Amino acid sequence: MERVAGWSVRHRALAIVGWFALVVVAVLASAVIPGEMASSTDPGGSGRAERVLDAQQKYPRPQENVLVQARTPDAAGRFTRSPELRRATEDLVAALRRTPGAVTAVRSPLERDGSRLVSKDGSSGLVTFEVAGPDERTAEHYDAATEAVRAVQARHPGVRLAQAGDRSLSSVVDEGIKDDFKRAEFFSLPLTVVILLVVFGSLIAAAIPLLLAATTVVGTFGFLQVLAHWVPVNSATSSMVLLIGVAVGVDYSLFHLRRAREERAAGHGVAEALRTTARTSGRVVVVSGLTVMLCLGGLLLTGLDNFKGLTTGAVLVVGVAMVGSVTVLPALLALLGHRVDKARIPWVGRRRTAADRSRVWAAVARAVVRRPLVWGGSAALALLLLALPALGMRLQDAAVTDSLSRSVPTVDAAARMQEAFPGTPAPARVVIWGKDPDAVAAPAVRKAVESLHGRAAASGGALNEPISTARVGRALVVRVPLASFGTDETANRALETLRERTLPAALGDLPGIDYAVSGKTAFAYDFTQRVTDRTPYVFAFVLVLAFVLLVVAFRSPAVALVSIVLNLLSLGAAYGVLTWVFQDGHLSSALGFTSYGGVVGWLPLFMFVILFGLSMDYHIFVLSRIRERRLAGAQLREAVVGGVASGAGVVTSAAVIMTAAFSVFVVLSAIEYKMMGVGLAVAVLIDATLVRGVLLPAAITLLGRTAFPGLTPGERSPRPRRAGR
């Protein structure tokens, strides 16, 4: 690291220009490399069904549903006996059929066989239709159909026309994600800038982390677009790249700037200060970066395409930030020299640019090393108490009606439709196919599909009407409403009934015929099952890998083991807070959500990998400061106090920035993002304060000579002084 930094300092112009040239090449490469982007494949039976449809090179037309019911419950009566409801239904059907080529397959509860489109209590009707193709005009046709529904609604104010279906639910989710990320960008960037100004106390110094983070993220996006030809990349990947890129870019800049200021304050010149910074903080950055990258690689063990792009993007952005921090960052600091602390912020600038030890953390560390068992035991007990609710954590993805507020019209329509026609907003899709191109057209298959109506009635409420079919190439798609279109236990039991009993009874004896079930419920079920099955392997991989890397870095198995235990304690506490808040419903009014009794299935695993990697930045930084003082001959307790006092302040500053970035997700609309924001923010806050400020110095003190064996042979750790001596 010292040789690399020395080259960058001597050839600062070449290093800076080369870095920006690399970013430009990454952006240009993403624009000029031709070819289609890789697509993801869902796991389990839902993935199998989607692969069959992909092979047909066509998909079922989106189906939309319009719920027709009286706005006043007392005036509802029976649907078929209400003149107002009948007129509104007739008007709606006529308006839809008048849209030129926009809709097909309009079905009405007023038709001869429309009894299945009337709710069981007789108060509501359901009008269904398909959005016509071709694919490039689907959006246009959907807008025309939606406008027709709005026009009919305006003519019948006493009737509720609530639309929800394939296209409308997907649209509201997509729009919600776009609005959420716009809101996150609006809040996060100004907040990060303000915190950086307070932390660094100088406009120039605060601009350096922003520059490194911005170029890192832009370059990573460019490289990621190139890799997207082979690895599936979605919007979640882009968001995580932005989040992690800003986090590690700021962290690595903080580590370098802090050490460089300390060395200059000790009387060293700029070049010498940067060489020492590279040898100490630069080494920490590389060790931390490699640890984060390898820990993130554990997500690949899930075998999920959704995580392949996420892992690739996260590993790439950490690697780019790590390279930039040990090449272009020393060059920039050498170019700026003492000017890096110019343009100080009034009131805070002089104190922030002085590179003093943290008095608060020094006082805390002294108290801890005097009574490490008392302080360490109390902190560990507090974290264990926070972790207790996690023992009852229930993994369950959020349906649209759970994720978004019912103030969104489509979400409210889906919730009302679920009450009147369970499962209709997003039914299960049974994909049937055979080796023979016309196998699904055989009379035996048609008879088996027709028998699903009777089997739905006999399923005890697990399956519902209306059931519809559509031919897609060599496959047949059958829409079967489940007892719930969500992801709760009712929906999962209905899916199991369909997969394990109903379909085998109807289709199992047909030769040459195969089938699989997809849909929102099936995807969430299969995804959660895969995550649950593979989680032990991911945990084992990350823990073993982290242990090996820490042993190599510090040559102490005891420190490596303690480090892993401390990380698990902070993670368990974050799990407990997450469960207490979102699953149990505490603070729901303050955070603006309604609990659905579960935690998003992928979040605990995602938090484990992300936090275990990122927390290593703080851990390795503080441990390196302690080890450095031990190498200089300091007593163990003196080394612990000095290392914590000089390192914990930097860690706290970095944690404040990262916590603020994560906390922005709490103000977003989707409950998944609120969970992620609270979970990550709480974990980072606990990790940077209670763990690094109390538990780590207590643990190192209790380990004594075994913490860093071989550094000062024969030294005995001093006994703590008694009061009054």
Side-chain angles (χ1 to χ4, degrees):
M1 290 304 99
E2 189 174 355
R3 287 195 295 270
V4 171
W7 182 92
S8 296
V9 169
R10 292 191 303 272
H11 306 87
R12 61 195 70 171
L14 182 59
I16 295 171
V17 172
W19 173 256
F20 284 100
L22 177 67
V23 175
V24 172
V25 168
V27 174
L28 293 178
S30 66
V32 300
I33 294 181
E36 295 183 358
M37 299 298 181
S39 57
S40 61
T41 301
D42 299 336
S46 59
R48 190 179 179 209
E50 294 302 316
R51 286 193 295 272
V52 171
L53 291 179
D54 287 341
Q56 313 309 312
Q57 297 185 343
K58 55 170 50 176
Y59 297 89
R61 305 310 311 164
Q63 179 172 303
E64 289 292 309
N65 314 287
V66 181
L67 180 69
V68 184
Q69 60 182 196
R71 290 191 177 276
T72 306
D74 295 339
R78 292 194 60 81
F79 176 83
T80 54
R81 296 178 184 174
S82 171
E84 187 177 17
L85 294 179
R86 290 179 64 89
R87 285 194 299 269
T89 303
E90 291 169 351
D91 191 3
L92 175 61
V93 171
L96 289 172
R97 287 174 175 165
R98 283 197 302 268
T99 53
V103 302
T104 61
V106 180
R107 299 176 62 196
S108 167
L110 301 180
E111 296 173 352
R112 181 180 302 175
D113 59 346
S115 59
R116 292 170 179 167
L117 297 174
V118 178
S119 62
K120 290 183 178 180
D121 63 1
S123 64
S124 305
L126 191 71
V127 175
T128 68
F129 62 91
E130 293 180 1
V131 181
D135 291 344
E136 59 270 16
R137 298 195 63 186
T138 298
E140 175 188 343
H141 291 165
Y142 168 77
D143 291 340
T146 302
E147 185 58 36
V149 175
R150 291 198 191 102
V152 175
Q153 176 66 88
R155 292 195 292 270
H156 301 273
V159 177
R160 177 182 289 110
L161 300 181
Q163 180 180 341
D166 297 340
R167 180 83 184 191
S168 53
L169 287 174
S170 297
S171 297
V172 76
V173 171
D174 292 342
E175 289 300 319
I177 291 174
K178 291 179 183 177
D179 292 343
D180 275 349
F181 284 123
K182 287 180 181 177
R183 193 180 300 118
E185 293 168 1
F186 177 79
F187 284 108
S188 61
L189 186 58
L191 186 61
T192 302
V193 170
V194 170
I195 297 175
L196 282 173
L197 291 174
V198 174
V199 168
F200 287 102
S202 161
L203 289 173
I204 297 176
I208 291 176
L210 288 177
L211 181 62
L212 179 62
T215 52
T216 294
V217 170
V218 171
T220 301
F221 279 150
F223 289 127
L224 197 57
Q225 286 300 307
V226 175
L227 294 176
H229 291 85
W230 299 275
V231 180
V233 176
N234 54 28
S235 58
T237 299
S238 301
S239 305
M240 289 303 105
V241 165
L242 178 61
L243 194 66
I244 295 173
V246 171
V248 296
V250 170
D251 279 2
Y252 297 164
S253 300
L254 268 171
F255 295 166
H256 276 85
L257 280 167
R258 172 73 186 199
R259 188 56 185 250
R261 281 176 170 175
E262 289 181 3
E263 295 301 321
R264 293 204 319 271
H268 299 131
V270 173
E272 179 64 25
L274 291 177
R275 281 196 295 271
T276 304
T277 299
R279 188 174 61 250
T280 53
S281 294
R283 177 179 179 274
V284 170
V285 165
V286 171
V287 173
S288 300
L290 291 175
T291 304
V292 172
M293 293 165 68
L294 292 172
C295 286
L296 287 169
L299 286 175
L300 296 176
L301 295 179
T302 61
L304 292 167
D305 280 358
N306 306 67
F307 282 154
K308 289 180 182 178
L310 177 63
T311 303
T312 302
V315 168
L316 193 59
V317 76
V318 173
V320 173
M322 181 181 69
V323 171
S325 67
V326 298
T327 55
V328 70
L329 191 56
L332 283 172
L333 294 178
L335 179 66
L336 292 171
H338 294 283
R339 294 186 299 274
V340 72
D341 292 330
K342 297 295 183 182
R344 292 177 178 176
I345 307 299
W347 299 295
V348 300
R350 183 176 299 278
R351 181 169 55 88
R352 289 298 182 184
T353 57
D356 294 333
R357 297 198 325 169
S358 171
R359 296 179 181 178
V360 174
W361 285 116
V364 171
R366 284 194 198 93
V368 170
V369 298
R370 288 193 189 102
R371 296 178 176 83
L373 194 58
V374 174
W375 282 91
S378 300
L381 182 61
L383 292 182
L384 289 173
L385 290 175
L386 285 176
L388 282 179
L391 297 176
M393 180 185 290
R394 180 174 172 271
L395 300 182
Q396 177 188 329
D397 284 355
V400 176
T401 49
D402 298 323
S403 176
L404 301 176
S405 169
R406 286 191 64 168
S407 61
V408 179
T410 304
V411 176
D412 182 68
R416 293 179 182 277
M417 203 173 292
Q418 170 63 25
E419 295 172 2
F421 298 91
T424 300
R429 297 199 303 183
V430 181
V431 180
I432 306 171
W433 70 95
K435 296 180 180 179
D436 186 351
D438 295 322
V440 296
V445 175
R446 289 201 304 268
K447 184 178 180 180
V449 172
E450 290 173 358
S451 72
L452 290 176
H453 291 284
R455 297 180 189 278
S459 66
L463 310 178
N464 296 293
E465 298 282 0
I467 296 173
S468 62
T469 61
R471 181 73 182 268
V472 182
R474 298 170 58 176
L476 184 68
V477 178
V478 184
R479 298 173 181 270
V480 182
L482 303 176
S484 171
F485 81 99
T487 57
D488 54 12
E489 291 186 3
T490 301
N492 290 338
R493 284 196 300 268
L495 177 65
E496 292 169 353
T497 299
L498 178 64
R499 282 177 167 176
E500 299 171 8
R501 292 167 47 193
T502 305
L503 293 178
L507 302 169
D509 296 332
L510 298 179
I513 293 295
D514 208 346
Y515 58 87
V517 182
S518 66
K520 296 185 184 301
T521 299
F523 167 74
Y525 181 90
D526 294 337
F527 190 89
T528 302
Q529 286 293 113
R530 175 67 68 86
V531 168
T532 303
D533 293 341
R534 298 295 178 89
T535 292
Y537 301 103
V538 177
F539 272 58
F541 173 83
V542 172
L543 293 177
V544 171
L545 185 64
F547 179 81
V548 171
L549 289 172
L550 287 169
V551 169
V552 171
F554 294 101
R555 298 174 176 84
S556 173
V559 166
L561 186 60
V562 166
S563 302
I564 290 173
V565 172
L566 296 185
N567 278 352
L568 291 177
L569 276 174
S570 63
L571 192 66
Y575 283 170
V577 172
L578 189 68
T579 306
W580 183 79
V581 172
F582 289 97
Q583 181 173 306
D584 299 340
H586 298 96
L587 305 180
S588 57
S589 58
L591 298 178
F593 72 92
T594 300
S595 174
Y596 63 89
V599 173
V600 177
W602 53 266
L603 187 57
L605 180 63
F606 175 79
M607 284 178 56
F608 171 78
V609 174
I610 294 293
L611 292 171
F612 209 91
L614 292 180
S615 65
M616 283 298 175
D617 284 352
Y618 306 153
H619 193 75
I620 292 174
F621 183 75
V622 176
L623 274 178
S624 296
R625 288 300 184 100
I626 297 173
R627 184 174 183 271
E628 189 178 327
R629 281 161 173 74
R630 285 284 284 161
L631 281 170
Q635 298 279 336
L636 179 62
R637 284 181 169 84
E638 294 174 2
V640 170
V641 173
V644 170
S646 61
V650 180
V651 168
T652 302
S653 299
V656 168
I657 296 172
M658 198 177 297
T659 302
F662 290 147
S663 299
V664 170
F665 284 84
V666 177
V667 305
L668 306 187
S669 58
I671 194 172
E672 298 96 322
Y673 295 133
K674 291 180 183 291
M675 287 186 187
M676 185 174 70
V678 169
L680 294 177
V682 168
V684 169
L685 199 58
I686 291 174
D687 192 82
T689 54
L690 198 59
V691 173
R692 306 303 161 212
V694 178
L695 276 172
L696 179 60
I700 298 299
T701 304
L702 290 172
L703 286 175
R705 294 176 58 188
T706 60
F708 302 106
L711 293 186
T712 50
E715 177 190 344
R716 297 182 63 182
S717 299
R719 296 180 180 273
R721 295 183 178 182
R722 294 182 181 178
R725 292 185 62 183

